[in-house]
Amino acid sequence: MRKILIVGAGQSGLQLALGLQSQGYEVTLMSNRTADEIRSGRVMSTQCMFDTALQHERDLGLNFWESQAPRIEGLGVSVAAPDGGRAIDWVGKLDGYAQSVDQRVKMAGWMETFAQRGGQLVIHGAAVSDLDYFSRSYDLVLVAAGKGELVSMFGRDASRSPYDAPQRALAVAYVHGLGPRPEHPDFDAVRCNLVPGVGELFVMPTLTTGGRADILFWEGVPGGPLDAFQGVKDPAEHLSLTLELMEKFTPWEYARATRVELTDAGGTLAGRYAPTVRNPIGRLPGGGLVLGVADVVVANDPITGQGSNSASKCAAAYLAAIVEHGDRPFDEEWMQSAFDRYWNTAQHVTKWTNAMLGVPPEHVLNLLGAAGELQPVADRFANGFNDPSDFENFFFDPEKTSAYLAEVAGG
Ligand SMILES: Cc1cc2nc3c(=O)[nH]c(=O)nc-3n(C[C@H](O)[C@H](O)[C@H](O)COP(=O)(O)OP(=O)(O)OC[C@H]3O[C@@H](n4cnc5c(N)ncnc54)[C@H](O)[C@@H]3O)c2cc1C
């Protein structure tokens, strides 16, 4: 059977490894951490995944936590007004529910399953020289190592990367004790709170190592008042800063957060990175070729909550491309075509996410405002998180936005 090496045991690497394994491929997975280290380590994401991405997991029988994780049935948008109230506030209903399963739970669990099913798991932080050596004994080497150092093997694609610096400072806190959203306590939703010129606060339920919890996730414009977490090492200090900023900029969220406490000592994360699209094929010093997967090749800012969704979609696209290719060599042409297949969906995510990082133009503000009056607009916007290609139809072009709003308003 064909031998495949996957470097990196995150959403894409594990999903692909387990998928290939179930098709009879001989898969080696290289991870720089053990399952226990991941489970007892720091949170890595907010990992909210929508229906299409979750379906790829279901298709492979990997939805182990679906019955325990909260079902996120809506997605709301609030825009802060200068008086401390909200200029805009609505919630759209998702056609299929979303879920967030703490990556510490999922990656540790999937890694153990991969090993139990006979997969070769190597705990080692791979360097380029390792890949050079190993590439000779595998039919295909996939680099699914996220935003780590191995990305340096893949050249930045400037034509697809409008930003060369981080556009947001990120600060995450996992908490217990958050009160329900008073407007809609009957169903779970992600709430995106936009604070014009300052940043965004995302609040969503998750399943973490200690059961159900909620995530408070600030995205701050660099250099602004939310860009305050650098150098904060103490988790308790991180949480009190998160709450202080909520009281100041999103008092309606603070009102339900007065009794929260951190889920665990690893329940906070802060950092930043520049959104970057890279060339998908890496050339090793010895001449071998490797194919980049998910964040390695397309890393978007988490403002639209798409990275894990995209990692799932990338893994599904590559799995199909590998299986369809049968016994033929995984050459440069095949690698490019596998990436192009993924880019068909990824390009929409990148375009929309990069647009959301900028100052919203007037027609987008009109659209967000109209969603408060017209429920079908709210619902369509919410479902765009599941399939961002739909934004082409009503989001980017002012004429298409007005035509769409006129159509909905006309009934
Ligand atoms: C704050 C924040 C919030 C986010 N929120 C969301 C969200 O709500 N929804 C969403 O869809 N996405 C979200 N994302 C993005 C999402 O987490 C990532 O895009 C996704 O995890 C990428 O998956 P991946 O498989 O490419 O890489 P990763 O999940 O990063 O996995 C890469 C793995 O490779 C390992 N590794 C790295 N280098 C090496 C090496 N040299 N050798 C061996 N192993 C190595 C790493 O330790 C890691 O385990 C968020 C990201 C952040 C930072």
Side-chain angles (χ1 to χ4, degrees), residues 8 10-12 32 45-48 103 126 144-146 294-295 305-309:
Q11 176 71 39
S12 64
N32 56 1
S45 179
T46 64
Q47 71 270 312
C48 181
Q103 289 187 341
D295 264 14
Q306 293 294 308
S308 302
N309 290 273

Side-chain angles (χ1 to χ4, degrees), residues 7-14 30-33 38 44-50 100 103 107 111 122 124-127 144-150 170-172 204 217 219 269 273 293-296 298-302 304-311:
V7 179
Q11 176 71 39
S12 64
L14 274 160
M30 214 177 252
S31 167
N32 56 1
R33 288 189 297 166
I38 290 172
M44 294 167 271
S45 179
T46 64
Q47 71 270 312
C48 181
M49 292 175 64
F50 296 86
S100 162
Q103 289 187 341
M107 301 322 152
M111 210 190 251
V122 178
H124 178 66
K147 296 176 281 291
E149 285 164 19
L150 288 179
L170 316 174
V172 171
M204 72 192 80
F217 172 25
E219 286 231 343
L269 173 74
Y273 59 89
V293 192
D295 264 14
V296 167
V298 184
N300 295 305
D301 188 276
T304 51
Q306 293 294 308
S308 302
N309 290 273
S310 296

Side-chain angles (χ1 to χ4, degrees), residues 72 77 131 204 207 209 219 230 255 270 327:
I72 300 174
V77 171
L131 300 189
M204 72 192 80
L207 177 74
T209 46
E219 286 231 343
Q230 229 171 359
D327 287 332

